[in-house]
Amino acid sequence: LMSKNSLQELRLYCCNLNTLSINIIAKALKTNTTLRKLDLSKNDIDTAGFRYIAELLNTNSTLYSLRLVGNNIGIEETKLIVESLSANN
């Protein structure tokens, strides 16, 4: 993900991604400048995973579509995402 400069869309729908997987993906995408769409739907991402996604959104300014359907997003997780999007104009 860090070196694939032409990748624009990544679909990881229903891949049973755990917190470690989300952390690795988020770290790689912090420096990626080509990815526009990321689908992490139906992966049962927990609060720690959402923290990693929020960190990604703080630094990545090229990602414009993030699908998180089916991940039990609660108030705390929503707040993390909204705050990171607000910080990254």
Side-chain angles (χ1 to χ4, degrees), residues 18-30:
N18 60 23
T19 302
L20 178 60
S21 302
I22 296 297
N23 184 17
I24 292 167
I25 292 164
K27 280 183 181 180
L29 292 178
K30 280 183 182 181

Side-chain angles (χ1 to χ4, degrees), residues 53-81:
I53 293 168
E55 289 173 15
L56 155 69
L57 295 173
N58 277 327
T59 58
N60 185 303
S61 60
T62 59
L63 188 65
Y64 73 86
S65 175
L66 176 62
R67 291 186 49 89
L68 297 168
V69 176
N71 281 301
N72 301 318
I73 301 172
I75 293 171
E76 183 179 351
E77 293 81 7
T78 302
K79 225 174 146 181
L80 287 167
I81 299 300

